[in-house]
Amino acid sequence: MCGIWALFGSDECLSVQCTSAMKIAHRGPDAFRFENVNGFTNCCFGFHRLAIVDQLYGMQPLRIKKFPFLWLCYNGEIYNHQLLKDKLKFDYQTKVDGEILLHLYDHFGIQKMASLLDGVFAFILLDTYNRKVFLGRDTYGVRPLFKLLTDNGFLAVCSEAKGLTDITHTMDSPANIIPFPPGHFEVFDLKPNGKVQSIQMEQFHCCTKEPAHAVYDTVERLPPVFDEETVKMNIRSLFENAVKKRLMAHRRIGCLLSGGLDSSLVAATLVKLAKEEKLQYPIQTFSIGSEGSPDIIAARKVAAHIGSEHHEVNFTAEEGIQAVEEVIFHLETYDITTVRASVGMYLVSKYIREKTDSVVIFSGEGSDELTQGYIYFHKASLSQRFCWIFIHSSIQLARSFLLQAPTSKAAAEDSVRLMKELYLFDVLRADRTTAAHGLELRVPFLDHRFTAYYLSLPEEMRIPKHGVEKHLLRDSFKGLNLIPDEILWRRKEAFSDGMMSVKKSWYTCLQEHIESVYKRHLSTTSNSQTPNSTMAKTKELSKDTRNKIVDLHQAGKTESAIGKQLGVKKSTVGAIIRKWKTYKTTDNLPRSGAPCKISPRGVKMIMRRVNDDQMEKAHKMFPHNPPHTKEAYHYRQVFEKHYPGRAEWLSHYWMPRWINATDPSARTLSIYNPDKNQ
């Protein structure tokens, strides 16, 4: 896990632009480097390193003597680099797994290079001889990548969007910052002036197809035989292989353990293989929860069963609430369920970084999407179980039921949809919360071969059975004593729900606290005599000027362009726009020397306005993904504070399907039925 950053064709001073790259320094705490490109003085690479493999020669941009015209900046791990090196007889100069990209590109070209990579990655590859720039990202977007491209060909690329928000350019029209699509590569022509032109965007792998690198895997290609015992054997074999190949590391390995099925299977398999591989240390496992958390209790049982060195992180609702703003800053999203689930993962990652020496962290992300683990998938099994309605009841009743219940085909299609959207939700959460503390995430459930095989199975095999979700996965490990039976058959409990007690969910704590957030904020601003103390320090501006700033912002002008046009500092322009986004008026932007006093009665009135009046106008204030709850509204305000005008980074909220849901928490669904032991 590292942080990558690059500019091609910058018209602004590179020494100033490079300060933006420091915003992702948390991704690589071990070392950093900035390097200009020979012959292109307005092109630059930035790299923050977390040293996992080849600590001596792993700095980037990676260049080797055999290919002096190639420059590589990548974030990720290529698990089959040694296999490919041996099979294709490449002569390596380093022990870095990413060196395989240079040899594959030279040997096969960009398309086949990308398709032969078994791993997680985001890369920037520059070929100065052929004057090409290439970007690429792994199938599920486990490693993040964002790009900014102006109309005149200035390209900026970064692991996280925050490293691009303050990049300046000469164009009057704003440039969008967008996530690079997973499973794709893009080709740019590099012009003599350093600017680029996109000439090709192509998908190199789809999650439903067996990857091209399967021919070089240690597990042979599997024939399409779908009898139950063969399928279960193949699932076990591919899953163990997925965990084994991810042991590649020169730093200590640990594992997140919630006590649910997915993380328990990962942890148990990891401990088993670590012993077989004779690692020189015990595997550390980590769980987090508050008092009465069913996850803490379950994780404790699993850790005792598998013999891991277990750590429990206890936190209070107040500690979690205090972390929300930091979490949203790192996530770069305001999705409700993502924010909720990220708090616990952020806090446990902080503990791992501060209290242990584990750096490579295994986790169970991807299983719910792949194996239809979400509670709402039970609707698909219901449509199968109640087909007898056609025979034993009226056609009208049967038709009414089936209109609401999806088929196994619809469930399979939704599983693929969820897999393709992982980079917006669970994978985003897992990457940002661990990367925020300089940890490297590894997710064996998203192994290319494992996912392709599971998605190739007959649709009826994959739906919930006997009232149990992920039945096929559970049944595949039955009778092995890998994990306790009670955990193997433990019902699905979302991470953000399971880390709090059943009596009071985490989302309930958050929602109850939202009311007091505004009261506390406004009380603070009342005491300081201004809604925004930073505004009192800005240059005194007339109301007309403030209104012009807002008008130009709505017309699409950048903060830099507005500042130049009106002769106002960019920081002042940004502060005014952010305040306008919060209050939807420039009247409450105080002039210096004219503090705005708010009486206690006024505080209460403003609090009610935020909680009630603004909720009524939420769809106008936030036309893209308008919040429908006060909790969602609060997350959106925090997001807009850090990333004003960037709401399009989230295309839609994550919500359950095929059921009348108003909240993403499984505990709010009518079909939710917790384990009796919880």
Side-chain angles (χ1 to χ4, degrees):
M1 193 280 298
C2 300
I4 60 175
W5 181 91
L7 302 181
F8 298 93
S10 174
D11 292 319
E12 305 290 345
C13 176
L14 285 179
S15 62
V16 175
Q17 300 275 49
C18 283
T19 60
S20 289
M22 299 310 294
K23 290 185 177 182
I24 61 165
H26 51 272
R27 297 190 67 88
D30 294 333
F32 73 90
R33 173 189 286 175
F34 294 103
E35 188 169 341
N36 289 88
V37 178
N38 299 341
F40 296 90
T41 55
N42 58 355
C43 298
C44 177
F45 284 96
F47 180 66
H48 294 278
R49 187 180 187 209
L50 178 66
I52 301 295
V53 178
D54 195 350
Q55 299 187 31
L56 183 60
Y57 295 105
M59 277 303 288
Q60 298 181 35
L62 180 63
R63 305 180 68 197
I64 60 176
K65 292 180 180 179
K66 187 174 183 180
F67 310 117
F69 49 89
L70 296 183
W71 305 61
L72 174 66
C73 230
Y74 80 103
N75 168 30
E77 302 77 47
I78 311 302
Y79 304 122
N80 65 342
H81 75 103
Q82 194 64 45
L83 279 171
L84 291 171
K85 174 194 170 186
D86 295 341
K87 290 278 187 180
L88 300 172
K89 303 188 186 313
F90 291 144
D91 183 20
Y92 264 35
Q93 184 175 317
T94 72
K95 295 179 181 178
V96 179
D97 55 310
E99 185 179 335
I100 193 66
L101 274 75
L102 303 178
H103 294 277
L104 289 174
Y105 168 72
D106 176 72
H107 198 72
F108 295 115
I110 190 65
Q111 198 281 336
K112 191 166 183 179
M113 180 207 85
S115 65
L116 286 178
L117 299 176
D118 181 8
V120 292
F121 52 85
F123 66 78
I124 308 164
L125 177 61
L126 169 64
D127 181 345
T128 55
Y129 180 80
N130 293 297
R131 294 199 172 180
K132 292 286 188 292
V133 176
F134 305 94
L135 305 181
R137 191 177 181 190
D138 67 77
T139 303
Y140 299 112
V142 175
R143 292 292 176 259
L145 191 67
F146 288 82
K147 71 171 183 177
L148 177 155
L149 182 63
T150 66
D151 292 340
N152 69 343
F154 167 49
L155 174 67
V157 188
C158 190
S159 293
E160 297 181 16
K162 59 179 65 66
L164 301 177
T165 53
D166 288 336
I167 292 293
T168 57
H169 54 84
T170 56
M171 301 296 290
D172 288 334
S173 57
N176 291 328
I177 298 170
I178 59 173
F180 193 83
H184 287 71
F185 68 84
E186 186 169 12
V187 185
F188 299 86
D189 275 335
L190 180 65
K191 300 177 182 178
N193 64 356
K195 296 287 197 294
V196 303
Q197 180 178 1
S198 178
I199 59 172
Q200 183 183 4
M201 171 76 85
E202 186 176 319
Q203 185 176 34
F204 63 84
H205 182 229
C206 174
C207 62
T208 57
K209 295 180 179 179
E210 186 174 53
H213 58 69
V215 296
Y216 297 109
D217 205 348
T218 54
V219 176
E220 295 180 358
R221 302 181 80 168
L222 305 174
V225 177
F226 299 130
D227 68 273
E228 192 169 307
E229 289 307 312
T230 300
V231 165
K232 290 191 288 188
M233 180 181 67
N234 289 340
I235 287 173
R236 291 192 299 270
S237 175
L238 287 172
F239 181 71
E240 183 168 311
N241 185 51
V243 175
K244 186 174 183 177
K245 68 177 71 170
R246 284 164 174 77
L247 292 175
M248 179 185 80
H250 294 159
R251 304 287 288 272
R252 186 167 185 172
I253 296 172
C255 186
L256 299 182
L257 178 59
S258 71
L261 173 68
D262 309 327
S263 65
S264 298
L265 286 176
V266 172
T269 306
L270 176 59
V271 169
K272 171 179 173 286
L273 292 173
K275 291 176 181 176
E276 292 176 4
E277 297 293 318
K278 298 181 179 179
L279 295 189
Q280 299 302 304
Y281 52 82
I283 296 296
Q284 294 179 325
T285 51
F286 306 92
S287 63
I288 185 169
S290 66
E291 184 178 354
S293 159
D295 277 3
I296 285 282
I297 297 169
R300 195 179 298 156
K301 293 176 181 177
V302 175
H305 185 87
I306 65 177
S308 64
E309 181 187 302
H310 192 54
H311 297 246
E312 292 181 2
V313 181
N314 298 109
F315 82 108
T316 64
E318 185 63 29
E319 288 171 332
I321 288 163
Q322 288 175 356
V324 166
E325 180 159 352
E326 283 180 54
V327 167
I328 292 175
F329 170 75
H330 280 286
L331 289 177
E332 303 172 339
T333 187
Y334 50 91
D335 177 65
I336 302 164
T337 192
T338 303
V339 173
R340 289 175 183 172
S342 294
V343 171
M345 201 163 184
Y346 179 84
L347 292 175
V348 74
S349 296
K350 182 179 181 182
Y351 171 90
I352 294 170
R353 185 67 186 181
E354 294 177 351
K355 305 293 185 182
T356 78
D357 59 348
S358 286
V359 177
V360 177
I361 305 299
F362 280 62
S363 190
E365 270 69 35
S367 176
D368 285 325
E369 291 78 7
L370 175 66
T371 65
Q372 302 184 19
Y374 291 114
I375 297 296
Y376 72 82
F377 276 103
H378 281 280
K379 298 284 283 186
S381 66
L382 288 174
S383 67
Q384 302 287 322
R385 290 162 59 193
F386 287 95
C387 283
W388 58 268
I389 291 178
F390 278 110
I391 301 173
H392 299 286
S393 189
S394 67
I395 293 177
Q396 184 177 0
L397 180 61
R399 183 180 298 146
S400 174
F401 175 83
L402 290 175
L403 282 174
Q404 300 175 44
T407 62
S408 57
K409 185 177 188 302
E413 291 172 350
D414 199 57
S415 181
V416 172
R417 176 188 69 85
L418 290 170
M419 297 292 285
K420 291 179 178 179
E421 293 180 353
L422 272 167
Y423 76 105
L424 294 172
F425 303 110
D426 278 27
V427 155
L428 180 150
R429 162 181 55 79
D431 173 82
R432 301 303 198 284
T433 54
T434 52
H437 301 289
L439 304 177
E440 177 174 291
L441 180 78
R442 296 196 176 173
V443 282
F445 273 110
L446 292 179
D447 182 79
H448 298 162
R449 290 204 63 196
F450 182 74
T451 56
Y453 178 75
Y454 206 98
L455 292 173
S456 74
L457 299 175
E459 295 158 356
E460 295 76 15
M461 291 187 78
R462 291 182 274 150
I463 60 172
K465 287 185 173 63
H466 312 303
V468 179
E469 68 283 346
K470 298 190 258 192
H471 189 276
L472 176 60
L473 179 65
R474 299 175 194 271
D475 207 33
S476 298
F477 290 91
K478 184 174 68 174
L480 302 180
N481 198 35
L482 187 65
I483 59 177
D485 276 352
E486 63 181 297
I487 303 298
L488 184 63
W489 298 100
R490 183 188 175 202
R491 290 293 305 273
K492 165 69 179 172
E493 185 76 88
F495 178 56
S496 60
D497 291 332
M499 65 182 184
M500 302 291 281
S501 70
V502 173
K503 294 179 181 178
K504 191 166 188 179
S505 297
W506 171 228
Y507 76 90
T508 305
C509 297
L510 284 164
Q511 291 172 352
E512 288 179 354
H513 192 78
I514 295 304
E515 297 284 350
S516 65
V517 168
Y518 294 109
K519 177 182 277 189
R520 185 163 62 248
H521 170 68
L522 291 168
S523 295
T524 302
T525 58
S526 176
N527 293 334
S528 63
Q529 298 187 324
T530 171
N532 188 339
S533 58
T534 61
M535 287 304 301
K537 300 175 183 177
T538 61
K539 180 180 178 181
E540 183 174 348
L541 299 175
S542 68
K543 183 175 180 179
D544 286 344
T545 302
R546 297 198 301 268
N547 288 339
K548 282 181 181 178
I549 288 173
V550 172
D551 290 341
L552 291 170
H553 168 72
Q554 290 181 302
K557 292 280 188 178
T558 63
E559 292 177 8
S560 179
I562 295 171
K564 289 178 182 178
Q565 182 174 334
L566 300 180
V568 179
K569 288 183 178 180
K570 181 182 175 183
S571 59
T572 303
V573 172
I576 288 173
I577 291 171
R578 284 193 296 274
K579 185 58 67 174
W580 173 79
K581 284 177 175 291
T582 302
Y583 292 97
K584 220 57 177 175
T585 177
T586 61
D587 290 339
N588 56 14
L589 297 175
R591 303 179 186 183
S592 61
C596 176
K597 295 184 179 180
I598 307 176
S599 67
R601 184 170 178 269
V603 170
K604 292 179 181 178
M605 291 179 65
I606 294 174
M607 183 188 71
R608 283 196 296 270
R609 183 187 69 191
V610 170
N611 283 315
D612 298 322
D613 294 350
Q614 286 202 359
M615 277 305 303
E616 292 180 10
K617 301 173 183 176
H619 65 287
K620 294 181 179 178
M621 186 172 184
F622 304 117
H624 180 76
N625 288 336
H628 298 293
T629 66
K630 293 171 185 177
E631 180 193 6
Y633 195 103
H634 176 63
Y635 296 161
R636 184 62 172 271
Q637 282 196 315
V638 174
F639 175 85
E640 292 288 346
K641 172 185 173 183
H642 293 289
Y643 308 107
R646 305 291 185 178
E648 286 78 9
W649 289 349
L650 177 66
S651 58
H652 60 281
Y653 291 111
W654 192 101
M655 288 291 283
R657 306 191 88 187
W658 311 316
I659 195 167
N660 187 22
T662 57
D663 189 282
S665 171
R667 289 185 178 178
T668 65
L669 303 182
S670 59
I671 56 176
Y672 174 73
N673 182 26
D675 281 353
K676 295 179 181 179
N677 295 331
Q678 298 176 14

